[in-house]
Amino acid sequence: MQQQICTILNRADVGAELVVSGWVRTRRDSGGFSFLELTDGSCLTGLQIIADQELANYVTEIKKLTTGCSVEISGQLQDSPAKGQAVELVASAVRVLGWADPETYPLQKKRHSFEFLRNLSHLRPRTNALAAVARVRGRLALAVNHFFAERGFIQVHTPIITTSDCEGAGEMFQVTTAGGQSDQSDGQGQHEFFGRRAGLTVSGQLQAEVYAQALGRVYTFGPTFRAENSNTSRHLAEFWMIEPEMAFCDLACNMALAEDLLRYLLADVLEHCGPDLQMFDRFIDKGLIARLQQVVDQDFARITYTEAVDQLLAADRLFEFPVSWGIDLQSEHERYLCEDVYGRPLIVTNYPAAIKPFYMRMNEDGRTVAAMDILVPGIGEIVGGSQREERLEPLLARMEEAGLDSEEYGWYLDLRRYGTAPHAGFGLGFERLVQYVTGMQNIREVIPFPRTPGFAPC
Ligand code: 4AD
Ligand code: MG
């Protein structure tokens, strides 16, 4: 395989004869030469190519190259006399692989808005910002796997099609082969492929719990789906989630793992994605790198839900959603707490049972559960998790309150009947993490092909 531009720039192996392929970012002609900036997506920086007018196809092809054309270039790497790059490739041959008609190619050199680019999901990764997001996202996925492997966790692949609504929020997309007809029955009729109502998973947690009760430490990292009609900059209908689940672990151990994970991931991208982060810091979110470094260096703040409500009630500020004990914290509340009060990530614990799903462990007070959310500046909730209810009777009571049919969850209840063990876990929203790390304003820019209400172009 040919060397990638990132490798060539790192090695700066002056004098080497190389072949490199990529897309033309710009062409400039001067003094009998053409200067091409070539990019292949391997890093932010392009490679400067010098093409002499003596080349056989100089007039017929090289001088017609425009933004977006793909080329293969042979040449020798040399020290660059010009400012802006250490090395450049002096071409001995330029082979055009694919033209890009400048009359119709939509990505011109000027800056395009992210809204405009969203309608070009097939071309937008060729822009600097979206390519950098893709590299950082890929690095984060790798770091997630490293983190868990280093701590003895086994990756488990939980199903995408499921028959249980983990969060109990009724936000599942239904899966059927029967088109509209299935609605004629009760949704469980003969048309149903699975013989019962099935949907796209909203979380792999319940199945991860099964494996945690056998393997101890597991995690799942996959796509999840929510049919919630939220058109915000932080919600997607399809998003990826990292969900560790640990047997013999309580809320404190769960919080420690989540904090470790976040700080590890930030440290990892600071180390491995320097140039991309510098670009985000410069053009997208000033001060980003210093803020990420601060998170790596500092412990997260921790308060209970009840303390959070007290802080909100004492706040010198009018919230759109009024505050009282028992409310679900809104984004404005979460952001006030972690941005204005603490100025760093904040773990909020022990929420009212009434606003949390059935599987969370009831506390001794009988009205709060062993839940934890991690809130971060700029985003709000990035992690949601809890210790799980491992006792059969309290779990049955919670399921009944939530209107869940205990017959359907027989397998989940069996885990409490046979060798039940304290266990805990959490879900880290992968796109919210990528948003946090890149400073991108809208979550639609940090997933390659966003799906939101009314939007799924390709
Ligand atoms: O708080 P949530 O709903 O928790 C669960 O699904 C648990 N079953 C996780 C677990 O304990 N294993 O979602 C977890 C995280 C949120 O904190 C948020 O970061 C992200 O998933 N998230 C979304 N991200 C993008 N778009 C949406 N619509 C999201 N909904 C949740
Ligand atoms: Mg949540």
Side-chain angles (χ1 to χ4, degrees):
M1 265 203 286
Q2 292 173 6
Q3 278 188 42
Q4 291 182 297
I5 290 176
C6 66
T7 317
I8 296 172
L9 293 175
N10 279 340
R11 288 206 190 130
D13 195 2
V14 170
E17 291 289 340
L18 300 172
V19 181
V20 57
S21 299
W23 294 268
V24 173
R25 202 174 263 166
T26 55
R27 193 197 84 236
R28 180 169 59 80
D29 306 320
S30 161
F33 296 95
S34 285
F35 299 85
L36 304 175
E37 193 196 352
L38 193 71
T39 172
D40 65 0
S42 60
C43 54
L44 188 66
T45 323
L47 179 63
Q48 170 147 292
I49 311 288
I50 316 284
D52 192 313
Q53 63 183 1
E54 300 302 322
L55 289 167
N57 60 344
Y58 185 76
V59 175
T60 52
E61 294 193 318
I62 295 172
K63 280 202 79 171
K64 293 180 183 160
L65 286 171
T66 50
T67 305
C69 292
S70 58
V71 291
E72 180 190 82
I73 308 216
S74 310
Q76 191 180 49
L77 203 64
Q78 300 202 347
D79 282 321
S80 176
K83 271 206 187 135
Q85 71 259 333
V87 288
E88 58 194 22
L89 191 69
V90 179
S92 52
V94 174
R95 189 156 77 92
V96 181
L97 302 175
W99 295 102
D101 182 354
E103 297 295 317
T104 54
Y105 186 58
L107 298 180
Q108 291 309 321
K109 203 173 174 278
K110 68 179 178 119
R111 270 224 235 166
H112 299 287
S113 75
F114 291 125
E115 287 80 1
F116 171 79
L117 292 172
R118 248 175 247 155
N119 290 309
L120 292 172
S121 353
H122 60 303
L123 294 171
R124 70 177 186 162
R126 293 193 192 180
T127 62
N128 278 343
L130 275 286
V133 166
R135 282 187 295 269
V136 171
R137 185 181 167 111
R139 179 69 215 183
L140 281 168
L142 186 66
V144 164
N145 291 327
H146 284 162
F147 175 87
F148 286 116
E150 286 165 15
R151 287 160 182 76
F153 282 71
I154 309 294
Q155 185 174 13
V156 173
H157 299 129
T158 51
I160 287 174
I161 297 174
T162 170
T163 52
S164 43
D165 180 359
C166 173
E167 294 306 292
E171 287 164 348
M172 282 174 89
F173 287 101
Q174 209 180 322
V175 172
T176 173
T177 55
Q181 294 172 34
S182 68
D183 293 340
Q184 290 167 8
S185 68
D186 59 358
Q188 309 198 10
Q190 54 181 341
H191 299 302
E192 294 294 328
F193 188 90
F194 298 102
R196 58 190 292 200
R197 194 181 280 270
L200 297 180
T201 185
V202 296
S203 156
Q205 176 197 322
L206 301 189
Q207 289 89 355
E209 281 187 56
V210 169
Y211 271 76
Q213 297 291 30
L215 301 177
R217 293 181 202 173
V218 299
Y219 71 106
T220 168
F221 182 5
T224 51
F225 307 85
R226 298 204 183 168
E228 55 185 336
N229 205 0
S230 316
N231 252 315
T232 80
S233 60
R234 299 175 309 114
H235 287 88
L236 291 163
E238 175 176 317
F239 64 97
W240 286 60
M241 208 182 345
I242 297 141
E243 296 182 275
E245 193 68 36
M246 292 150 289
F248 318 113
C249 175
D250 61 9
L251 187 67
C253 139
N254 201 27
M255 287 193 282
L257 186 82
E259 179 170 345
D260 267 3
L261 172 63
L262 281 171
R263 290 167 71 181
Y264 177 100
L265 295 175
L266 267 46
D268 184 278
V269 287
L270 283 166
E271 184 182 343
H272 292 102
C273 301
D276 286 329
L277 292 187
Q278 281 155 21
M279 190 271 292
F280 290 124
D281 194 312
R282 193 159 158 219
F283 295 110
I284 304 286
D285 186 5
K286 297 241 176 319
L288 174 75
I289 292 179
R291 257 180 287 126
L292 295 178
Q293 188 60 53
Q294 237 181 15
V295 175
V296 172
D297 295 340
Q298 239 188 356
D299 288 344
F300 292 5
R302 295 179 184 204
I303 53 169
T304 63
Y305 169 89
T306 304
E307 286 163 348
V309 167
D310 289 344
Q311 302 246 22
L312 292 168
L313 288 172
D316 184 16
R317 146 152 1 168
L318 207 58
F319 294 109
E320 190 187 334
F321 293 90
V323 177
S324 63
W325 199 96
I327 62 152
D328 210 353
L329 299 184
Q330 301 295 318
S331 174
E332 56 170 343
H333 307 136
E334 296 178 339
R335 294 187 58 172
Y336 168 77
L337 289 168
C338 64
E339 289 168 20
D340 298 358
V341 182
Y342 290 94
R344 60 188 157 127
L346 170 67
I347 312 184
V348 181
T349 57
N350 300 320
Y351 284 74
I355 56 166
K356 288 292 185 187
F358 71 96
Y359 53 73
M360 296 191 175
R361 193 179 198 278
M362 185 62 80
N363 287 328
E364 302 231 313
D365 62 14
R367 62 176 199 154
T368 62
V369 285
M372 62 122 182
D373 277 4
I374 302 187
L375 318 177
V376 294
I379 306 269
E381 179 190 338
I382 195 164
V383 164
S386 73
Q387 183 171 344
R388 317 307 187 189
E389 184 56 84
E390 86 284 11
R391 301 160 299 183
L392 184 62
E393 290 307 321
L395 181 59
L396 279 167
R398 286 277 283 150
M399 286 176 70
E400 195 174 333
E401 261 173 42
L404 295 174
D405 181 354
S406 56
E407 299 261 300
E408 281 191 18
Y409 289 84
W411 59 275
Y412 189 69
L413 294 166
D414 267 0
L415 299 172
R416 278 72 186 166
R417 291 190 181 105
Y418 309 123
T420 192
H423 63 291
F426 61 85
L428 165 61
F430 192 48
E431 285 72 25
R432 296 216 182 147
L433 171 71
V434 183
Q435 251 192 302
Y436 186 47
V437 166
T438 58
M440 293 299 284
Q441 281 297 309
N442 198 306
I443 199 163
R444 294 161 211 218
E445 268 68 80
V446 300
I447 186 164
F449 299 96
R451 274 86 180 89
T452 50
F455 191 82
C458 73

